[in-house]
Coordinates of all heavy atoms in Angstrom, one line a residue:
E132 N -43.6 1.2 -102.2 CA -44.0 2.0 -103.4 C -43.0 2.0 -104.4 O -43.2 1.9 -105.6 CB -44.5 3.3 -102.8 CG -45.0 4.3 -104.0 CD -45.3 5.6 -103.5 OE1 -46.1 5.7 -102.4 OE2 -44.8 6.7 -103.9
I144 N -40.7 -1.7 -120.0 CA -39.5 -1.7 -120.9 C -39.4 -3.1 -121.7 O -39.1 -3.1 -122.7 CB -38.2 -1.4 -120.1 CG1 -38.3 0.1 -119.5 CG2 -37.0 -1.5 -121.0 CD1 -37.1 0.4 -118.7
K175 N -40.8 -7.2 -102.5 CA -42.0 -6.2 -102.3 C -43.0 -7.0 -101.6 O -43.6 -6.5 -100.6 CB -42.4 -5.7 -103.7 CG -43.6 -4.8 -103.4 CD -44.2 -4.5 -104.8 CE -45.0 -5.6 -105.3 NZ -45.7 -5.4 -106.6

Side-chain angles (χ1 to χ4, degrees):
E132 182 181 309
I144 296 171
K175 179 186 74 169

